[in-house]
Amino acid sequence: MKHNLPQFFSDSYEIGQKKVAQIHFDLASEQMAEAAPEAFSTGYENPDWRAMRRRQFQRGWSEYQRAKSILEALT
């Protein structure tokens, strides 16, 4: 059975893929936490602002999932 490894992040400073993935994981978590209240609130939000916050959340979610899969593959 062939295992598919996720695409690793670039490691310009050669600190190791595990550390790079952990940094991306933490930053993506913060990005999602910051965007979520306005992206998914039940109160009124300007539709353009809400759409921007949802895109930010989705970008963070994608980065979070990628980092998580790299961390799982390396452990």
Side-chain angles (χ1 to χ4, degrees):
M1 184 164 133
K2 186 176 181 181
H3 296 281
N4 291 331
L5 289 176
Q7 180 182 6
F8 288 152
F9 295 108
S10 68
D11 187 6
S12 303
Y13 296 104
E14 298 179 7
I15 61 173
Q17 194 56 226
K18 191 170 185 178
K19 286 186 181 185
V20 173
Q22 186 64 50
I23 291 168
H24 281 268
F25 183 87
D26 294 340
L27 290 174
S29 297
E30 289 176 20
Q31 183 180 20
M32 290 187 307
E34 183 182 321
E38 294 171 317
F40 304 110
S41 71
T42 57
Y44 175 79
E45 281 294 337
N46 180 304
D48 293 334
W49 184 260
R50 183 182 303 265
M52 178 201 60
R53 289 306 233 173
R54 286 190 178 178
R55 284 191 301 273
Q56 289 175 338
F57 183 88
Q58 183 59 44
R59 201 171 23 249
W61 177 255
S62 298
E63 192 80 356
Y64 174 87
Q65 291 297 325
R66 180 178 172 199
K68 185 172 101 173
S69 65
I70 290 171
L71 289 170
E72 288 173 351
L74 294 176
T75 55

